[in-house]
Amino acid sequence: MEKKNILGICIFAGLLSIAIALPTAVRNFTDSSRNVTVKGLCEREVEADRAIWPIVYKEGGNSVSSLAATVAEKNKTIVEWLRAAGLSDEEIDVSAPKIENLAANGYAEHRSYDYVMTSVITVCTNKVRFVVDLQKKQFDLLGKGIAIGSGNSWDYPVSYDYTSLNSIKAEMIEQAILNAREAADKFAKDSGSRIGRIRNATQGQFSILDRDANTPYIKTVRVVSTVNYSLR
C-alpha cells in the first residue's frame, strides 16, 4: 500500500511538472515559428581615387636597332609631356617594349614592315580628374609624330579604382540594417505583430561598379544585408 502511495505521488508530481512547463514550451515553439527575413539595401556614389592609364603606341620598321632607337626617343617625348602636365616620375612607368617579327610569324603578305614594336607607358596616380582631363589632350602628341591608342582596348584598358571602401563600409552596413528594420516594421504592422530581437543576420558582399559607361571614374558602391527578426 505504501509503495502504491509513493508511485501515485511520483506520477502526480510528473503530471504537475508537465502542466507547468507546457504553456512555456508552447509559447517558445510559437515564438520560434514567428519570424520574418528582410533585406536592406544601401547604395552610395563615390569618385574613384586611383587611375591607371596605359599609353600605348606601335612603331613599325625593318631594322630592329633603328626601331628601338625611334621608340626610345618617342618614349622620352611622352614622358616629358606627362611631366610638363604635372605628373611626377613616381606616377610614370615605362615598360620594356614588345617586338613582333611579322616575317617569322607568317605575315609575309600585305605587310609594310618586318617588325612591329609596341610600347606601353603607364600612368598610375590618385589624381583621377587630372587623368580624365589629360586624356582629352593626348592628341597634342600627334603634332610630335606619336599616334597613341585610346587606351580603351581589350589589352590595355584605362581603369579607375575605388580603394577607400573601408572608410565607408561601417556606415553603409549600418544604413542597410536600418533599411531592413524599416521593411520589417512595415511587415509587422501589416500582420498585426511587433518586431522582436534579431535572430541572425548576414552582411552581404560589397560591389563596386561603374555608374555608367560614359563616366567610369564615378562608382556605385552597393551592399545588401539580410536580417531575420522574431515577431511578437
Side-chain angles (χ1 to χ4, degrees):
M1 183 68 179
E2 186 175 340
K3 290 183 178 180
K4 291 182 178 180
N5 290 337
I6 295 174
L7 180 60
I9 292 173
C10 291
I11 293 174
F12 176 77
L15 292 173
L16 181 62
S17 299
I18 293 173
I20 294 173
L22 186 59
T24 302
V26 172
R27 183 169 61 253
N28 290 339
F29 174 78
T30 304
D31 288 344
S32 66
S33 64
R34 290 171 56 83
N35 61 85
V36 59
T37 300
V38 292
K39 294 182 182 292
L41 167 67
C42 181
E43 287 187 338
R44 183 175 296 187
E45 281 192 3
V46 297
E47 284 203 14
D49 53 19
R50 182 178 65 187
I52 301 177
W53 176 25
I55 301 174
V56 186
Y57 71 93
K58 295 179 181 291
E59 192 72 22
N62 296 317
S63 168
V64 174
S65 57
S66 62
L67 187 58
T70 300
V71 168
E73 188 63 30
K74 289 189 174 183
N75 283 351
K76 180 180 177 182
T77 300
I78 294 173
V79 170
E80 289 176 351
W81 176 70
L82 294 173
R83 287 172 178 166
L87 291 171
S88 65
D89 289 339
E90 290 73 19
E91 297 168 308
I92 305 169
D93 181 73
V94 181
S95 301
K98 299 178 181 179
I99 188 167
E100 184 178 7
N101 188 334
L102 300 182
N105 290 338
Y107 298 107
E109 296 182 0
H110 309 296
R111 60 181 173 82
S112 302
Y113 307 106
D114 291 335
Y115 304 97
V116 171
M117 190 171 288
T118 302
S119 181
V120 183
I121 299 174
T122 305
V123 173
C124 182
T125 179
N126 58 3
K127 305 171 185 174
V128 176
R129 289 283 184 170
F130 176 88
V131 169
V132 173
D133 293 336
L134 188 58
Q135 287 183 75
K136 301 174 184 177
K137 303 175 183 178
Q138 62 183 310
F139 296 105
D140 295 345
L141 293 172
L142 286 175
K144 303 178 185 294
I146 304 174
I148 65 176
S150 63
N152 293 319
S153 66
W154 180 263
D155 294 328
Y156 303 100
V158 180
S159 65
Y160 300 97
D161 304 319
Y162 181 67
T163 64
S164 303
L165 178 60
N166 286 337
S167 65
I168 63 173
K169 182 181 289 186
E171 294 179 7
M172 291 191 64
I173 293 174
E174 180 181 359
Q175 186 60 53
I177 293 176
L178 288 175
N179 293 341
R181 176 67 189 225
E182 290 181 4
D185 284 336
K186 186 178 186 309
F187 179 89
K189 182 179 178 181
D190 294 342
S191 62
S193 306
R194 289 186 297 109
I195 291 297
R197 63 182 179 85
I198 294 179
R199 298 171 62 89
N200 54 72
T202 56
Q203 170 188 304
Q205 290 187 340
F206 279 83
S207 64
I208 304 176
L209 302 173
D210 296 347
R211 185 186 66 178
D212 57 73
N214 298 319
T215 55
Y217 49 89
I218 299 178
K219 305 294 184 179
T220 298
V221 183
R222 186 175 188 268
V223 66
V224 178
S225 295
T226 303
V227 188
N228 181 266
Y229 290 96
S230 61
L231 293 177
R232 298 177 180 174

